[in-house]
Amino acid sequence: MCLIESSPEITTRRAVLRAPKATDAPRIADFCHDAGLARMTSRMPHPYGLSDAEAWIARAQGQDPRVERNFVIDHDDHGVVGMISLFPQLQADLGPADLAGTELGYCVGSAWAGRGLATEAVEGLLTWARRDWKRRAVMAGHFIDNPASGRVLTKAGFLYTGRCQPLFSVARDDWATARSMIWLA
């Protein structure tokens, strides 16, 4: 018998981090279609359409919960306003080899940016990752032309590693310099 582990729901002050559902796809496609948002990520394409949102949801639903967790940020008043994930680190050279393993990525729609929701979601996810998922270190990074993301990560307890490196952005279709950060439980 195969036991499928359900994704947790993580409650923050104003939102719930929960597993994405097929019905979330139109909302995700709507806020991820923003070129300014997409270019601040490494993986998000632009343009971003309904099929991209459906593919992300399908991947999230098929994830291996031992190594990857994907959530939508479901705001109490506004519905789904963002996405946040913990996933296997793609580039182990982003940090010390003994701490590499889990990486954090997130995005919040531009209509909700600057309201502390990203910080709240990151803090909630890290609390869960430490307590329930038993992670002791998480890597993250941000493009140097996105200092707002650096502020979110710093407020959530990430520290700069002192490393900068080129990272490919699908939406930019180009390389951009990223600053590496680490969170230690």
Side-chain angles (χ1 to χ4, degrees), residues 3-184:
L3 178 64
I4 297 177
E5 181 179 346
S6 64
S7 291
E9 286 195 353
I10 301 165
T11 303
T12 69
R13 189 168 57 84
R14 297 175 288 173
V16 173
L17 310 181
R18 62 165 175 78
K21 302 180 287 194
T23 55
D24 296 325
R27 179 69 175 226
I28 292 169
D30 183 51
F31 68 77
C32 287
H33 188 67
D34 178 351
L37 172 68
R39 70 184 312 274
M40 294 304 165
T41 72
S42 60
R43 297 178 175 194
M44 188 181 297
H46 185 75
Y48 190 101
L50 184 59
S51 63
D52 296 302
E54 290 168 342
W56 182 81
I57 292 167
R59 190 175 139 257
Q61 291 173 342
Q63 71 192 1
D64 179 348
R66 296 169 298 174
V67 297
E68 183 173 13
R69 295 296 181 122
N70 295 281
F71 301 87
V72 292
I73 303 168
D74 193 347
H75 188 276
D76 293 343
D77 297 327
H78 303 287
V80 175
V81 298
M83 304 162 2
I84 188 165
S85 302
L86 292 167
F87 49 88
Q89 191 173 9
L90 295 178
Q91 298 181 348
D93 61 349
L94 286 177
D98 59 330
L99 295 176
T102 301
E103 187 170 348
L104 176 126
Y106 72 92
C107 71
V108 171
S110 60
W112 304 281
R115 299 181 187 189
L117 290 169
T119 302
E120 186 177 318
V122 171
E123 289 172 339
L125 186 57
L126 291 173
T127 298
W128 171 83
R130 180 187 66 242
R131 184 187 62 230
D132 298 331
W133 212 32
K134 307 301 183 205
R135 294 304 190 266
R136 298 292 173 240
V138 175
M139 300 299 295
H142 68 89
F143 291 119
I144 60 171
D145 60 349
N146 187 8
S149 187
R151 288 189 296 276
V152 165
L153 295 169
T154 300
K155 288 177 190 175
F158 279 84
L159 303 170
Y160 284 101
T161 65
R163 295 194 59 173
C164 292
Q165 70 177 40
L167 187 62
F168 190 78
S169 169
V170 174
R172 296 173 193 229
D173 192 27
D174 201 1
W175 295 87
T177 302
R179 295 185 72 189
S180 178
M181 301 181 79
I182 190 167
W183 170 84
L184 300 170

